[in-house]
């Protein structure tokens, strides 16, 4: 059976077309990944970063393991705790998609994920047959 995360990564660009917030989640994942690398380079533990942020250690763990759930403010605070800063620049196409999404009903991301998993299971035998 195909791994759901790998399947979602393959469909990344298509998902961005369907759900513009997916692009923002990917941006969060990339930003946090770079911050984790910086934290390791600086030799800081999650506990030390949490102390600098004034948060319980489990909050830093949540940011690192589920960056798409973190707010940009929380990610920015994490960066400041490391002595870093960043600027988020969105491509105009993403801004346009977000503006359009604001006028559309919410997309049920969990339902979409389940449907994609079902699709992956259906397509897996076809991929193995080829």
């Amino acid at each position: 059976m195909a791994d759901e995360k790998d399947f979602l990564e393959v469909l990344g660009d298509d998902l961005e077309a369907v759900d513009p917030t997916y692009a923002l989640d990917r941006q969060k994942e990339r930003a946090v990944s770079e911050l984790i690398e910086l934290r390791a380079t600086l030799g800081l533990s999650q506990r030390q970063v949490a102390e600098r942020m004034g948060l319980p250690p489990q909050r830093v763990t949540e940011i690192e393991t589920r960056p798409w759930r973190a707010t940009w403010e929380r990610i920015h605070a994490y960066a400041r705790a490391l002595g870093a800063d960043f600027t988020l620049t969105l491509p105009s196409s993403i801004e346009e998609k977000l503006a359009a999404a604001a006028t559309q009903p919410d997309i049920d991301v969990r339902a979409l994920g389940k449907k994609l998993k079902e699709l992956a299971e259906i397509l897996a035998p076809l991929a193995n047959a080829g």
Side-chain angles (χ1 to χ4, degrees):
M1 177 169 42
D3 181 87
E4 183 177 1
K5 184 175 180 179
D6 291 339
F7 189 72
L8 290 175
E9 287 175 2
V10 168
L11 290 179
D13 292 338
D14 292 334
L15 284 175
E16 289 177 15
V18 173
D19 182 2
T21 59
Y22 180 76
L24 290 177
D25 291 344
R26 297 281 302 246
Q27 289 283 357
K28 287 180 180 181
E29 289 174 0
R30 284 190 284 273
V32 170
S33 177
E34 290 184 26
L35 292 172
I36 292 169
E37 287 181 34
L38 178 58
R39 178 179 64 76
T41 300
L42 295 172
L44 295 172
S45 68
Q46 288 180 338
R47 181 173 299 282
Q48 290 170 311
V49 173
E51 288 172 3
R52 290 179 177 192
M53 293 175 70
L55 297 172
Q58 64 264 28
R59 294 294 176 249
V60 172
T61 301
E62 290 171 0
I63 293 168
E64 290 187 1
T65 58
R66 293 185 299 275
W68 59 90
R69 288 186 168 181
T71 64
W72 281 110
E73 292 81 10
R74 183 71 48 96
I75 294 170
H76 193 252
Y78 183 116
R80 286 193 316 268
L82 299 177
D85 202 356
F86 68 89
T87 302
L88 176 65
T89 305
L90 297 175
S92 60
S93 61
I94 299 296
E95 290 178 356
E96 291 166 7
K97 290 176 186 178
L98 287 172
T103 62
Q104 297 176 2
D106 290 338
I107 293 173
D108 184 347
V109 176
R110 289 179 193 237
L112 178 60
K114 287 179 185 178
K115 291 293 182 188
L116 289 172
K117 187 174 181 180
E118 291 171 12
L119 180 59
E121 290 172 357
I122 292 168
L123 294 176
L126 298 173
N128 293 334

